[in-house]
Amino acid sequence: ELMRLCDEHVCDLLLTTGGTGFSMRDQTPEATLAVAERNAPGIAEAMRWNSLQITPRGMLSRGVSVLRKQTLIINLPGSVKAVQENLSCILPALEHGLGILSGRESECGEAHHHHHEGSV
């Protein structure tokens, strides 16, 4: 299903919830990596870093963030509270990332924009 959603480009962003812990039935990261074409680890790293500010158990999340075609897949935790915390951490940067992925934005345009802000 992950492959179909990406390959038919149903969405730019695909979020999964749950299945990212240490239990034997937690297989979401493996399923996600199996369909990945490119890694985008910074998003999962940011979510873990954010979770670690709240609880040491944040390090136990195995969620991954990857790219397949023009879709970004992000594994979110299972709890509603953790999902809210993780989304608040990553959403501000996602719009730009998805713009680059879709070709709507260029990375050099963003770099120039930041340079301009700094020089004001």
Side-chain angles (χ1 to χ4, degrees):
E1 187 60 9
L2 291 174
M3 291 170 69
R4 185 188 71 77
L5 292 169
C6 295
D7 296 355
E8 295 177 13
H9 199 239
V10 174
C11 50
D12 293 339
L13 175 63
L14 185 47
L15 303 172
T16 67
T17 60
T20 60
F22 277 20
S23 150
M24 286 307 295
R25 63 189 176 83
D26 287 329
Q27 299 290 331
T28 306
E30 285 65 38
T32 304
L33 290 170
V35 305
E37 291 176 343
R38 296 185 289 159
N39 197 9
I43 298 168
E45 288 165 5
M47 294 195 303
R48 268 187 285 276
W49 176 86
N50 186 64
S51 295
L52 276 170
Q53 315 304 307
I54 302 159
T55 169
R57 292 184 182 181
M59 71 179 75
L60 301 179
S61 171
R62 302 189 311 106
V64 301
S65 41
V66 304
L67 301 166
R68 181 181 175 96
K69 305 286 189 290
Q70 286 186 292
T71 299
L72 169 61
I73 309 174
I74 302 173
N75 298 157
L76 293 169
S79 90
V80 173
K81 177 176 177 285
V83 165
Q84 290 168 338
E85 290 162 358
N86 280 276
L87 283 177
S88 67
C89 166
I90 65 172
L91 281 176
L94 281 192
E95 186 178 3
H96 177 60
L98 293 172
I100 294 167
L101 185 60
S102 67
R104 289 188 302 269
E105 287 183 52
S106 69
E107 299 197 60
C108 57
E110 178 72 2
H112 176 74
H113 180 61
H114 275 193
H115 177 71
H116 178 71
E117 275 180 15
S119 61
V120 169

